[in-house]
């Protein structure tokens, strides 16, 4: 009898199937499920704690924007805050400001020499009453051409360094329009501080300079030391004083301070003082962030301060920072009533400040921000008025009001308050202060009051206790 074909395995040994214990499987799966649940819960709890920490840190973060036109005193106010709340950081930066002080002096010397050439060459053809008055004042000094030619020759090596020093400090930043100067972005200190071999960014507090900046700074220092007597002679020359008093020479606001201090600055071991740091001029490009920890009522708050470039072409950079700003500190230099914008020589600087303040008050993104107005540079305003500069010559609406500090300052205050009343969309309170950023004690009293008011407003808004 033939065999019926079987399964392929039919001729092999029987295969023994392994048996499983269902109860053990359930126990193992239950163990793994419980372990996964514990891990998952632990992760969830850590994420929740991290979220609470971040939320609390965010609620304790106070974001303050310094707004105002160029040269309104924003960077000086930032340094005043730093001096009060983080002096150690400012102390670490002192060596980095040394080449900037030198640049301020070089620029001032160059401006004096250029204006001297222009004025002395054109004085004989100036038929205006002012020109004739200046010529009459200069007449007793005789022919000045040979004397100033000799001074210029001696000062050429110093003045010739201005562009190279500006280029190194600016880190290659170019500004259109052919304007000269030091224009720096956020973190400019990194451009002049040497890098650690193991780190990609500058080390704060090393107090050193990068090789390129150190080289040009050393050369500027040696040159300044060698011609300090000539700089002092130029600055104190009677002809320069006459032209300055008659407003035929106009210098940066910091220039007189540093030229008066030339003997102190022109020392091999010179290190900028606090007064130097507050007086030095350095134009900001873009937005620079500064962070301070502030203690109030036993709690610590992280104060983020944004110092922004105030030139017209840079104001678009402000907008991204408006959305969650805790406070706006607006600086208006009321001493600038006799000055015009560099970008638009037809626009009076006080008028520009009023227009800019109008835009800030009416901006919807800023409607919940605490608003502080600082009518700044009152010290310079007093000096101009005491020197006989008439406000009505530059601002016709001032009319025949007395040309005194009390009347002029009140006139400007009333105009800014009127802008706020008419254009502030949230009808918030406006806190107004008259300020001189160079007066450390008075400014720091204001800083304490302003800082506490802003933080208390922040506490009320966020519900922090």
């Amino acid at each position: 009898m033939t065999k019926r074909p079987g399964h392929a395995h039919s001729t092999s040994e029987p295969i023994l199937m392994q048996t499983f214990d269902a109860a053990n499987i359930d126990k193992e799966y239950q163990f793994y499920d419980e372990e996964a649940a514990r891990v998952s819960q632990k992760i969830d709890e850590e994420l929740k704690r991290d979220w609470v920490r971040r939320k609390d840190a965010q609620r304790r973060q106070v974001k303050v924007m310094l707004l105002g036109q160029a040269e309104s005193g924003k960077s000086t106010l930032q340094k005043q805050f730093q001096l009060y709340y983080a002096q150690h950081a400012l102390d670490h930066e002192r060596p980095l400001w040394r080449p900037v002080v030198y640049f301020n002096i070089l620029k001032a010397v160059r401006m004096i020499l250029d204006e001297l050439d222009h004025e002395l060459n054109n004085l004989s053809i100036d038929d205006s009453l002012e020109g004739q008055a200046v010529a009459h004042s200069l007449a007793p000094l005789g022919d000045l051409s040979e004397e100033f030619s000799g001074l210029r020759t001696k000062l050429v090596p110093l003045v010739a360094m201005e562009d190279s020093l500006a280029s190194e400090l600016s880190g290659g930043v170019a500004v259109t329009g052919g304007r000269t100067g030091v224009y720096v972005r956020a973190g400019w200190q990194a451009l002049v501080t040497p890098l650690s071999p193991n780190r990609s960014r500058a080390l704060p507090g090393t107090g050193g300079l990068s090789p390129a900046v150190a080289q040009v700074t050393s050369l500027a220092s040696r040159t300044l030391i060698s011609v300090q007597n000539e700089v002092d002679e130029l600055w104190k020359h009677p002809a320069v004083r006459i032209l300055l008093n008659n407003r035929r020479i106009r210098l940066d606001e910091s220039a007189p301070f540093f030229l008066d201090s030339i003997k102190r600055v022109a020392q091999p071991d010179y290190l900028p003082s606090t007064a130097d740091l507050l007086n030095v001029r350095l134009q900001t490009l873009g937005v620079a962030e500064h962070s301070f920890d502030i203690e109030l009522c036993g709690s610590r708050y992280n104060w983020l301060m944004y110092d922004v470039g105030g030139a017209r072409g840079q104001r678009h950079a402000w907008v991204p920072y408006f959305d969650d700003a805790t406070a706006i500190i607006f600086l208006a230099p009321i001493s600038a009533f006799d000055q015009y914008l560099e970008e638009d020589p037809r626009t009076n600087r006080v008028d520009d400040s009023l227009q800019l303040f109008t835009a800030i008050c009416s901006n919807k993104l800023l409607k919940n921000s605490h608003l502080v107005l600082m009518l700044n540079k009152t010290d310079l305003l007093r000096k101009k008025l005491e020197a006989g500069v008439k406000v009505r010559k530059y601002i016709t609406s001032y009319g025949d009001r007395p040309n005194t500090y009390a009347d002029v300052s009140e006139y400007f205050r009333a105009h800014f308050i009127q802008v706020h009343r008419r254009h502030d969309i949230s009808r918030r309170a406006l806190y107004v202060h008259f300020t001189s950023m160079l007066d450390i004690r008075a400014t720091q009293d204001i800083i304490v009051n302003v800082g506490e008011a802003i933080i208390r407003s922040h506490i009320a808004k966020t519900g922090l206790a």
Side-chain angles (χ1 to χ4, degrees), residues 255-326:
F257 173 83
F258 288 113
L259 291 173
D260 283 338
S261 308
I262 191 66
K263 296 291 187 180
R264 174 177 61 83
V265 174
Q267 296 296 322
D269 57 349
Y270 167 68
L271 186 68
S273 66
T274 297
D276 293 342
L277 300 186
L278 294 177
N279 276 277
V280 78
R281 173 75 183 120
L282 188 64
Q283 185 163 332
T284 307
L285 289 182
V287 180
E289 179 187 291
H290 305 270
S291 178
F292 316 101
D293 285 333
I294 295 178
E295 296 279 349
L296 182 67
C297 302
S299 297
R300 175 170 292 195
Y301 299 90
N302 181 225
W303 185 286
L304 292 178
M305 180 167 280
Y306 295 90
D307 176 13
V308 302
R312 274 189 173 178
Q314 298 183 57
R315 293 173 188 175
H316 65 278
W318 301 359
V319 179
Y321 295 83
F322 282 177
D323 197 23
D324 56 347
T326 309

Side-chain angles (χ1 to χ4, degrees), residues 93-378:
E93 288 183 3
R94 286 182 194 276
L96 306 182
W97 288 97
R98 187 165 159 250
V100 186
V101 171
Y102 292 155
F103 174 80
N104 277 231
I105 293 173
L106 267 59
K107 182 181 178 183
V109 171
R110 189 257 305 162
M111 290 176 73
I112 291 174
L113 290 172
D114 288 351
E115 291 297 325
L116 271 173
D117 282 349
H118 175 77
E119 290 296 329
L120 296 179
N121 290 333
N122 291 282
L123 206 56
S124 59
I125 58 174
D126 187 348
D127 295 330
S128 68
L129 290 176
E130 290 179 357
Q132 291 175 10
V134 171
H136 179 73
S137 299
L138 289 174
L141 301 178
D143 185 4
L144 299 169
S145 56
E146 186 175 343
E147 183 179 359
F148 282 125
S149 177
L151 269 178
R152 174 180 279 279
T153 301
K154 293 177 182 177
L155 291 170
V156 161
L158 182 71
V159 175
M161 298 192 61
E162 182 185 358
D163 287 344
S164 58
L165 187 56
S167 177
E168 291 298 339
L169 288 171
S170 299
V173 176
V175 177
T176 58
R179 288 176 287 159
T180 59
V182 176
Y183 300 92
V184 297
R185 296 162 291 190
W188 69 272
Q189 291 92 336
L191 298 172
V192 296
T193 309
L195 297 179
S196 160
N198 301 317
R199 296 179 67 181
S200 60
R201 61 188 181 88
L203 294 172
T206 57
L209 299 171
S210 69
V213 177
Q215 184 177 6
V216 73
T217 300
S218 176
L219 182 57
S221 174
R222 294 197 303 271
T223 307
L224 187 61
I225 290 170
S226 68
V227 297
Q228 59 179 298
N229 292 331
E230 286 76 13
V231 172
D232 195 46
E233 182 183 348
L234 176 70
W235 175 235
K236 293 177 179 176
H237 196 285
V240 172
R241 294 292 158 166
I242 290 170
L243 292 172
L244 281 169
N245 292 337
N246 285 274
R247 303 166 65 75
R248 310 292 284 208
I249 294 179
R250 293 205 180 195
L251 303 174
D252 288 348
E253 290 167 357
S254 64
F257 173 83
F258 288 113
L259 291 173
D260 283 338
S261 308
I262 191 66
K263 296 291 187 180
R264 174 177 61 83
V265 174
Q267 296 296 322
D269 57 349
Y270 167 68
L271 186 68
S273 66
T274 297
D276 293 342
L277 300 186
L278 294 177
N279 276 277
V280 78
R281 173 75 183 120
L282 188 64
Q283 185 163 332
T284 307
L285 289 182
V287 180
E289 179 187 291
H290 305 270
S291 178
F292 316 101
D293 285 333
I294 295 178
E295 296 279 349
L296 182 67
C297 302
S299 297
R300 175 170 292 195
Y301 299 90
N302 181 225
W303 185 286
L304 292 178
M305 180 167 280
Y306 295 90
D307 176 13
V308 302
R312 274 189 173 178
Q314 298 183 57
R315 293 173 188 175
H316 65 278
W318 301 359
V319 179
Y321 295 83
F322 282 177
D323 197 23
D324 56 347
T326 309
I328 301 296
I329 299 179
F330 186 89
L331 290 95
I334 55 176
S335 63
F337 67 85
D338 60 339
Q339 296 173 272
Y340 296 85
L341 291 183
E342 186 176 356
E343 313 95 291
D344 180 8
R346 298 166 300 174
T347 302
N348 183 283
R349 286 188 59 193
V350 171
D351 284 338
D352 179 67
S353 280
L354 285 165
Q355 293 170 26
L356 187 52
F357 189 59
T358 301
I360 297 301
C361 290
S362 58
N363 192 297
K364 292 180 180 178
L365 292 175
L366 297 173
K367 65 180 181 180
N368 296 319
S369 301
H370 192 91
L371 189 58
V372 178
L373 171 64
M374 292 189 174
L375 300 174
N376 196 28
K377 303 195 177 182
T378 55

Side-chain angles (χ1 to χ4, degrees), residues 10-31:
S10 59
T11 57
S12 59
E13 293 296 324
I15 296 175
L16 298 176
M17 302 296 291
Q18 185 177 358
T19 59
F20 293 93
D21 187 340
N24 286 336
I25 293 174
D26 288 344
K27 285 180 182 177
E28 288 180 13
Y29 273 114
Q30 184 179 2
F31 170 76

